[in-house]
Amino acid sequence: MTAFVRACGLSELEDDTPKRVEIDGTPVAVVRTEGEVFAINDICSHANVSLSEGEVEDCQIECWLHGSAFDLRTGKPSGLPATRPVPVYPVQIEGDDVLVSLTQES
């Protein structure tokens, strides 16, 4: 069974503005965009920098340091210099609670 834990409140999320949270020691960027909420590992696979400090557009989060963008649905990079995906995590919404499971979707 997949264990979901509360990451933050839905009311704490602004559209297209990543929120960094830590779940069991794992940094996670939680993003509300295009009417959905996504959770993606907060560390860029190319450099050890926080993705939650980047911008969100077209369901992608961009690393502010070198410009690689990662699909919020799959974690796959859409361009160089990153070549490896970052983990994405299942999300459930219960009332105002955003619940995340560290079980990877992809």
Side-chain angles (χ1 to χ4, degrees):
M1 183 170 172
T2 303
F4 284 85
V5 297
R6 185 181 189 280
C8 62
L10 188 60
S11 60
E12 297 174 47
L13 299 176
E14 296 180 33
D15 286 342
D16 300 323
T17 302
K19 179 173 182 65
R20 185 182 199 278
V21 299
E22 200 165 291
I23 300 172
D24 294 333
T26 300
V28 177
V30 180
V31 181
R32 180 166 59 181
T33 188
E34 299 181 8
E36 294 184 66
V37 177
F38 300 94
I40 188 167
N41 191 283
D42 193 38
I43 304 301
C44 178
S45 63
H46 170 256
N48 188 24
V49 297
S50 178
L51 292 175
S52 61
E53 295 178 27
E55 295 184 8
V56 173
E57 187 176 339
D58 296 328
C59 213
Q60 295 186 85
I61 190 167
E62 183 179 72
C63 177
W64 63 270
L65 187 59
H66 295 116
S68 289
F70 297 88
D71 189 302
L72 291 169
R73 297 164 292 225
T74 66
K76 293 180 181 174
S78 61
L80 297 173
T83 58
R84 292 177 291 124
V86 294
V88 296
Y89 307 110
V91 174
Q92 290 182 351
I93 307 297
E94 291 184 6
D96 186 55
D97 292 332
V98 176
L99 308 175
V100 174
S101 172
L102 290 184
T103 302
Q104 293 183 28
E105 286 189 340
S106 63

